[in-house]
Amino acid sequence: MNKKIATPTVTRKILADYQIKLSKSLGQNFLIDGNIIDKIVNIAGIEQGDQVIEIGPGIGSLTQVLLEKIDGSLFAIEKDARMVGVLEELFQDEKLKLIHRDVLDINWPEFFNQHDLINKRVKVIANLPYYITTPIIMALLEARVPVQSYVFMVQKEVAERMVAKPGGKDYGALSIAVQYYTRPEIAHIVPPTVFIPQPDVYSAIIKLETYKEAPVHLEDEGFFFQIVQAIFQQRRKNLKNSLSKAANMKLDKGLVEKCLKDLGFKEGIRGEALNLDQIAELANLIYKRMGDKVN
Ligand code: SAM
């Protein structure tokens, strides 16, 4: 394919030629603006030897530019068989490894082993299907696979939640998880007009740079994330109540109260006011004292 796919004319022609009607339920909003594609690729900062994973290539508007830029492999994971058919015909490039699968079914550590990606520099780049943005990102982060950075097109509101700091309505479990594993930065706000069909929302290009070392020390990562869940599931409650009433944890109210007091938190403070360091400190103290009680 020599012509740029990311134009309204070429995209419409490919869809007409293959008699494809785009599916709303698969989040198929295709990019038709080459400048935005270039922005995504530039923000990703492709270097020699990079291996790239693209989620949801569609008819290949971003794939095409990525293939021009990389010298490693491009693993493109697509659920819709119709798109896989188009990509197979449009691209004859050995660097492109097409994978016809639901991305949510992928076991990432296995995937990295199978494709010999463990000791390579890997970047994940995608215009994500918005209906599963959070599960895709959380599965990748929690798998702790060695990805150097992620560049995603996501709904603007979701990007704002990922970078949110304590105090506002956007701050929640997603902010904590993303900021524990990575340094997130919104790089560009994108209007609906650069997609076919146009989504109802604004979008944002976000870059997540993975930390080599976690920004906070955790005694137990699983326990920390249970605390995070407890805090934000009942975010209107004060910290003492949200923690001691969290169904998933069965924490002793006296122990929680003592920990909060010893860390100098004000009576009645809500969990949503705490930053990542403070939540980590609190989770670590409760975890240690629970251990002391058992032993
Ligand atoms: N990359 C193309 C572009 O920028 O124009 C298409 C992006 S479109 C927003 C999202 C793509 O993800 C679609 O091609 C859709 O078929 C694919 N997709 C949706 N759900 C998926 C899933 N569960 N697993 C893999 N791909 C999926």
Side-chain angles (χ1 to χ4, degrees), residues 245-265:
K245 295 207 171 112
N248 61 332
M249 305 200 73
K250 305 207 170 33
L251 295 174
D252 179 86
K253 193 169 180 176
L255 183 137
V256 169
E257 252 172 346
K258 178 100 179 55
C259 290
L260 290 172
K261 196 160 167 251
D262 290 351
L263 289 173
F265 290 120

Side-chain angles (χ1 to χ4, degrees), residues 5-6 11 22-23 25-32 37 40 54-63 77-83 87 99-106 125-132 136 153 194-196:
I5 297 170
T11 295
L22 292 180
S23 153
S25 63
L26 281 177
Q28 290 176 342
N29 299 95
F30 287 180
L31 278 167
I32 48 156
I37 305 252
I40 296 175
E54 185 189 1
I55 298 162
I59 57 169
S61 51
L62 174 59
T63 320
I77 304 164
E78 174 59 60
K79 179 174 179 173
D80 188 336
R82 302 172 305 168
M83 304 303 159
L87 294 167
I99 298 165
H100 179 205
R101 275 187 79 178
D102 184 327
V103 68
L104 295 180
D105 290 341
I106 289 188
I125 304 173
N127 171 19
L128 287 177
Y130 290 178
Y131 73 108
I132 44 171
I136 292 174
M153 177 81 79
V194 303
F195 300 90
I196 281 182

Side-chain angles (χ1 to χ4, degrees), residues 223 227 240 243-244 250-262 282-283 285-294:
F223 185 77
I227 293 276
K240 185 176 70 187
L243 290 180
S244 48
K250 305 207 170 33
L251 295 174
D252 179 86
K253 193 169 180 176
L255 183 137
V256 169
E257 252 172 346
K258 178 100 179 55
C259 290
L260 290 172
K261 196 160 167 251
D262 290 351
L282 176 61
L285 187 61
I286 298 177
Y287 185 79
K288 272 197 209 148
R289 290 196 178 163
M290 277 170 58
D292 293 346
K293 246 178 124 180
V294 174

Side-chain angles (χ1 to χ4, degrees), residues 13-34:
K13 175 145 185 5
I14 294 172
L15 294 175
D17 287 350
Y18 287 87
Q19 300 180 345
I20 290 175
K21 193 171 174 299
L22 292 180
S23 153
K24 209 172 174 174
S25 63
L26 281 177
Q28 290 176 342
N29 299 95
F30 287 180
L31 278 167
I32 48 156
D33 184 331

Side-chain angles (χ1 to χ4, degrees), residues 52-84:
V52 174
I53 298 174
E54 185 189 1
I55 298 162
I59 57 169
S61 51
L62 174 59
T63 320
Q64 183 179 40
V65 179
L66 286 171
L67 285 171
E68 286 164 10
K69 288 273 153 94
I70 63 168
D71 59 359
S73 296
L74 171 56
F75 300 88
I77 304 164
E78 174 59 60
K79 179 174 179 173
D80 188 336
R82 302 172 305 168
M83 304 303 159
V84 177

